[in-house]
Amino acid sequence: MFQCPECENLLDRRDIDLDGMQVWGVAADGTLSTTTDPAHSLDCLMGAIEEFLTSEECPNAEYARHVSALSATEFLAAYIDARRLGIKRPEFGYTEETIRDAVNAGADMILGVIDLSEAAEDAISLVVNAALALLKNPEISFVEMIEENYSEDADEVLSWWGWNK
């Protein structure tokens, strides 16, 4: 429950409707407040920067530069306000952990639905390990990947199912 500073009524957090661009934050003095979601602020900031960079294409380039610079300043200030309220910075892209989880879940999904031979299951495991190793090191070789992920050497792994050519 939160107390409204204007009417002093107690409000349940579910009764306070925020639009999709707003998030909760707590100021240094302990006041509950809302602010612009930092992810939204950064999206808008990037748009303003793009408008600034393409302002020469506008009929009134000087005005376009001025407006986009004002917008960029406004969105940067909103981002700073959100961070000062303790709102975490947004994640961009995928983390190594989310990729690892997704690749392993994808392999588990396939192995849970399709009845494969043990050799095919081992091959899928090799692909998972290779993809994750390449994520860390795009130049990694098959031998290096095996050394990092298996107790056997590459020749042994290739001999499992007659995979050595």
Side-chain angles (χ1 to χ4, degrees), residues 77-114:
Y79 177 78
I80 291 169
D81 287 345
R83 296 290 287 132
R84 284 187 178 145
L85 286 175
I87 310 298
K88 292 182 179 178
R89 69 177 178 79
E91 293 289 332
F92 293 105
Y94 298 100
T95 64
E96 184 179 325
E97 181 180 355
T98 58
I99 293 170
R100 182 180 56 247
D101 290 348
V103 170
N104 280 306
D108 291 344
M109 176 194 300
I110 299 304
L111 295 173
V113 174
I114 300 174

Side-chain angles (χ1 to χ4, degrees), residues 117-139:
S117 67
E118 191 176 348
E121 289 181 11
D122 284 347
I124 287 176
S125 293
L126 279 169
V127 170
V128 166
N129 287 321
L132 296 174
L134 287 165
L135 180 65
K136 290 180 186 176
N137 177 4
E139 304 297 321

Side-chain angles (χ1 to χ4, degrees), residues 26-70:
V26 179
D29 65 359
T31 307
L32 178 69
S33 61
T34 60
T35 189
T36 304
D37 184 333
H40 178 73
S41 296
L42 289 178
D43 284 342
C44 293
L45 175 60
M46 295 306 291
I49 291 170
E50 185 63 31
E51 288 174 8
F52 183 85
L53 294 173
T54 59
S55 61
E56 292 300 320
E57 300 168 10
C58 296
N60 188 340
E62 184 177 336
Y63 178 75
R65 273 192 306 278
H66 176 72
V67 169
S68 60
L70 288 175

